[in-house]
Amino acid sequence: MTNRRTTTTHRIALIPGDGIGNEVIPAARRVLDSVAARHGLGLTYETYDWSCERYASLGAMMPDDGLDQLRGHDAILLGAVGYPGVPDHVSLWGLLIPIRRGFQQYVNLRPIRVFEGVPSPLRDAGPGDVDLVVVRENVEGEYGEIGGRLGRGLPEEMAVQEAVFTRKGVTRVLDYAFSLAERRGGHLTSATKSNGIIHTMPFWDELVAERAAAHPEVPWDQEHIDALAAKFVLDPRRFDVVVASNLFGDILSDLAAAVAGSIGIAPAANLNPERDFPSMFEPVHGSAPDIAGRGIANPLGAIWSAAMMLDHLGHPEAATRVTDAIATVLAKTPVRTPDLGGTATTEEFTDALLELL
Ligand code: NAI
Ligand code: MG
């Protein structure tokens, strides 16, 4: 038996991407380096310049063998993708979506909290009241590639887009969501629309009931998406884990991020729970062209995403250290970036957080 302490080393792929991605990812990296030093974690980074800028000069968001270059990493930390001049569907389908699908990152996890020191636009959502997670199906559903256009430019022009729900794809995301609710000691709400969408959503509901039977310890209910959206605004405190299809989860999680007070804080994880492939962590916000280059972006979304990455890599104490520092910098200091009503730069705000780490 040897007592030698082995340091875990993780290989991280950094894709800052476009706009403020290049400002928030360096901030997240400073936080990662600091927390890694304290917890004896080895993190090595490789940075990739895949972006709209690359598209403009080389005609592709990433190289043909992009996924192969990423495959050997333990995780991917991404800033934001998309910039004026390149259509959003080109940037999205040229980089983010191939990674999510190619690496079977079928769970999109978006935690939402109202922090002390960040007023919610909702009168009744105080700090500690709102603490929920949206689990969004991330690789199928309404965002499919099946469909087409007919009669372009003619009066009878039409577009057809198929939504694809598979037993395997729905079951696995439901199982993830039920298990998460169980770990949190909470309950699960399923977002549906089986009154209006007559094939896929009743199928979704049947599978929810099936998986609920396999997780008898988790209380659950379901709501139609329109009513659910209203309840997110009227009473967000009642929710814990909310599971939704790709489209419903996309919209609900942005709504929930707004309820928490700022899109600049919200994090996301694209998970391959089986760990056959690297998972990807990214703030919910985009490249914010209106403020890019000025050094005033809020880095918390990227920093919280980096904390989710640490958790996924098996370091929950290091992750909690980061989220605690986020809560403390907001509750105990007046330092804020302009989106939260302050005057601090990205760097000054990160400095304040590093001091509390
Ligand atoms: P956005 O999230 O980039 O910006 C919306 C508003 O929020 C802007 O006023 C922006 O200044 C502000 N904002 C966002 N993040 C902030 C931060 N960290 N600190 C301070 N303020 C922040 O969304 P928008 O304008 O709709 O999209 C801009 C580009 O980003 C588009 O090309 C879009 O396709 C792309 N995008 C990419 C995403 C991704 O990479 N996952 C997600 C959303 C948008
Ligand atoms: Mg979205």
Side-chain angles (χ1 to χ4, degrees), residues 179-231:
S179 304
L180 179 65
E182 187 179 352
R183 284 202 300 282
R184 287 168 60 96
H187 62 277
L188 178 135
T189 305
S190 164
T192 184
K193 190 61 195 172
S194 44
N195 56 350
I197 301 178
I198 62 160
H199 300 303
T200 54
M201 280 296 138
F203 180 50
W204 172 277
D205 290 356
E206 278 167 41
L207 293 174
V208 171
E210 207 175 290
R211 299 328 296 161
H215 300 266
E217 62 296 334
V218 180
W220 67 281
D221 59 2
Q222 61 186 43
E223 295 272 4
H224 293 305
I225 186 67
D226 41 354
L228 187 52
K231 286 178 185 171

Side-chain angles (χ1 to χ4, degrees), residues 20 80-83 88 96 282 284-291 298 339:
I20 63 167
V81 177
Y83 218 68
D88 284 342
L96 266 185
E282 50 164 343
V284 168
H285 65 73
S287 61
D290 53 336
I291 59 161
N298 186 338
D339 57 304

Side-chain angles (χ1 to χ4, degrees), residues 110-115 125-134 184 186-187 236-242 256 259-260 304:
R110 296 185 171 188
I112 288 108
R113 276 167 69 181
V114 173
F115 286 102
D129 284 350
V130 178
D131 182 351
L132 62 93
V133 186
V134 176
R184 287 168 60 96
H187 62 277
R237 290 167 294 197
R238 67 192 281 165
F239 298 104
D240 183 34
V241 174
V242 181
V259 164
W304 192 353

Side-chain angles (χ1 to χ4, degrees), residues 27-168:
R29 185 173 163 177
R30 287 179 66 204
V31 173
L32 280 174
D33 284 339
S34 166
V35 80
R38 281 157 214 269
H39 287 260
L41 317 174
L43 300 178
T44 62
Y45 305 95
E46 255 162 285
T47 303
Y48 297 87
D49 68 349
W50 305 345
S51 58
C52 288
E53 212 173 303
R54 186 184 189 279
Y55 182 87
S57 61
L58 299 175
M61 295 292 295
M62 66 173 166
D64 286 343
D65 67 345
L67 291 191
D68 290 328
Q69 294 192 35
L70 296 175
R71 207 177 294 277
H73 291 83
D74 296 305
I76 304 160
L77 185 62
L78 181 134
V81 177
Y83 218 68
V86 178
D88 284 342
H89 70 272
V90 170
S91 49
L92 196 66
W93 284 85
L95 184 56
L96 266 185
I97 297 201
I99 295 175
R100 287 177 177 168
R101 298 194 174 192
F103 290 161
Q104 287 295 298
Q105 295 167 347
Y106 61 83
V107 171
N108 189 264
L109 198 63
R110 296 185 171 188
I112 288 108
R113 276 167 69 181
V114 173
F115 286 102
E116 187 182 344
V118 182
S120 165
L122 300 182
R123 197 174 46 221
D124 294 334
D129 284 350
V130 178
D131 182 351
L132 62 93
V133 186
V134 176
V135 177
R136 165 189 173 193
E137 200 291 319
N138 210 28
V139 297
E140 56 173 48
E142 303 87 346
Y143 294 178
E145 288 158 272
I146 299 177
R149 296 271 291 267
L150 214 56
R152 281 183 196 254
L154 299 175
E156 26 315 83
E157 181 169 6
M158 61 180 274
V160 173
Q161 169 96 42
E162 299 291 351
V164 176
F165 287 73
T166 66
R167 174 172 283 278
K168 178 180 174 190

